Amino acid sequence: MAVKAEYLWVDGTQPTAKLRSKTKILADGAEPPIWGFDGSSTNQAPGDKSDCVLRPVFTCPDPIRGGNNIIVLCEVELIDGTPHPTNTRAACVASAEKYAGQEPIFGIEQEYTFFKDGRPLGFPVGGGYPAPQGGYYCGVGADEVFGREIVEEHMDACLAAGLNLSGINAEVMPGQWEFQIGPVAAPQVADELWVARWLLYRIAEDHGVSATLDPKPVKGDWNGAGAHTNFSTKAMRESYDAIITAAESLGKRRQEHVDGYGAGIDQRLTGLHETAPWTEYSYGVSDRGASVRIPWQVEKDGKGYIEDRRPNANVDPYVVTRLLIDTCCEALAQA
């Protein structure tokens, strides 16, 4: 019996990488092997040295094709077996292994926006704007919620694939939604987020709709789209002092994090629409206008996690998880 294996990988498009995929037919029960592709067509190789290698790293059931068919997420390698320069997963794995004793885990809140015919779902056909944002967040009704049928289908697909999906909700702007992956350790949380993104794009495709991770999909007085990243270590889950150490450590490497948190971050982190300015760093309890929020129950319980509110919707999850591990775990190791 044949199995369709959909190989996924992250390409070399700049400033924001894209997902690519192609199908390999395998014998039922066969381990997905390494495979090749034309890197000159994905911004990952010149035409005269175009071969790149796909090495499987994460496999799950394919909820779209069903049956025994699978999705195979891959790292991109050079033909000598070393990580390709566009392969950000390899560095994430190294950081996760280095600080594995601190048991870092993540929850990533992926916001996105549906577009059809050049406008967000819910925006008037022919131009113009809908009613101001406010009632759309976690709303209900055909006048406030747009694209729910795609969202429900995507949620079911993520669960059928065995991903650690923890929730969904409608967001502040019409046609804008969010799903959450976690709590999961790195690199798995990033692996699952990339697969969940691919499933979102693929399912929306069947509905004639595109899903974008643009951090500011509509200019003006509308919320941007982020990927708020919740983070904790064993020490943070046991001590409020560790929470403060982690929050303060992020301020000492502000620019490094901002540089790695997604293209166009200056368009979204303006100090308005529940953001802190990208040029500044702040943290506070229950403060959605801070760079990093400490949830109120964390202060009350004296332990828990922090939410880094700066990452863009288009952030590379391998990069954001690596940066949080490197910065916070290093500080906690020295505390």
Side-chain angles (χ1 to χ4, degrees):
M1 182 177 178
V3 169
K4 301 168 189 172
E6 191 70 12
Y7 275 57
L8 316 185
W9 73 96
V10 181
D11 78 359
T13 301
Q14 294 294 330
T16 301
K18 297 168 57 177
L19 277 166
R20 307 286 184 131
S21 73
K22 61 176 182 172
T23 307
K24 189 174 185 65
I25 307 302
L26 304 176
D28 192 13
E31 283 293 314
I34 63 171
W35 200 15
F37 71 96
D38 171 16
S40 68
S41 297
T42 62
N43 302 301
Q44 289 170 300
D48 60 343
K49 297 179 181 178
S50 63
D51 288 333
C52 292
V53 177
L54 297 175
R55 182 172 297 280
V57 293
F58 178 82
T59 303
C60 65
D62 184 341
I64 295 176
R65 287 174 169 152
N68 291 333
N69 300 304
I70 57 176
I71 292 173
V72 183
L73 181 69
C74 301
E75 281 193 25
V76 178
E77 295 181 345
L78 300 171
I79 58 174
D80 63 1
T82 58
H84 190 277
T86 62
N87 177 351
T88 56
R89 187 181 188 274
C92 176
V93 170
S95 292
E97 291 177 347
K98 179 179 179 180
Y99 292 106
Q102 293 194 33
E103 300 177 20
I105 56 174
F106 299 85
I108 301 179
E109 306 170 24
Q110 177 68 72
E111 295 178 347
Y112 59 93
T113 309
F114 287 133
F115 270 72
K116 185 177 179 66
D117 299 327
R119 60 181 174 82
L121 288 187
F123 277 54
V125 176
Y129 296 92
Q133 60 188 33
Y136 308 107
Y137 174 71
C138 295
V140 63
D143 58 336
E144 292 190 337
V145 174
F146 309 92
R148 191 187 295 275
E149 68 280 4
I150 306 173
V151 172
E152 291 285 331
E153 191 175 336
H154 176 250
M155 175 171 60
D156 290 342
C158 287
L159 294 174
L163 306 184
N164 286 278
L165 186 80
S166 52
I168 62 168
N169 61 269
E171 268 301 332
V172 175
M173 193 181 82
Q176 194 175 71
W177 291 82
E178 175 186 299
F179 66 85
Q180 304 97 33
I181 295 289
V184 184
Q188 184 179 343
V189 67
D191 292 340
E192 293 193 15
L193 187 65
W194 277 117
V195 171
R197 285 174 172 179
W198 185 86
L199 287 170
L200 176 66
Y201 302 148
R202 178 61 185 80
I203 290 167
E205 175 187 318
D206 286 344
H207 292 264
V209 171
S210 61
T212 175
L213 305 186
D214 190 320
K216 191 67 174 179
V218 178
K219 310 306 179 187
D221 193 21
W222 299 94
N223 272 34
H228 302 158
T229 303
N230 301 285
F231 171 77
S232 73
T233 64
K234 185 174 186 294
M236 293 166 69
R237 296 188 289 273
E238 296 174 350
S239 163
Y240 195 72
D241 287 344
I243 295 286
I244 299 301
T245 296
E248 291 187 346
S249 71
L250 291 170
K252 297 173 183 177
R253 297 170 68 170
R254 180 195 63 81
Q255 191 62 49
E256 180 183 1
H257 282 255
V258 167
D259 289 345
Y261 279 5
I265 201 163
D266 57 318
Q267 299 174 33
R268 175 176 152 265
L269 298 186
T270 61
L272 302 173
H273 307 110
E274 300 182 312
T275 69
W278 69 272
T279 54
E280 302 174 9
Y281 176 81
S282 60
Y283 69 90
V285 175
S286 197
D287 187 355
R288 281 180 164 76
S291 308
V292 168
R293 179 179 68 94
I294 300 173
W296 68 269
Q297 72 269 23
V298 171
E299 182 186 49
K300 179 182 177 183
D301 296 343
K303 58 184 178 180
Y305 68 98
I306 58 174
E307 177 196 40
D308 193 334
R309 298 180 56 79
R310 297 171 294 171
N312 273 351
N314 61 358
V315 74
D316 181 339
Y318 295 128
V319 173
V320 67
T321 52
R322 174 183 60 79
L323 286 170
L324 284 167
I325 289 172
D326 286 350
T327 297
C328 297
C329 289
E330 179 181 320
L332 289 164
Q334 295 173 353

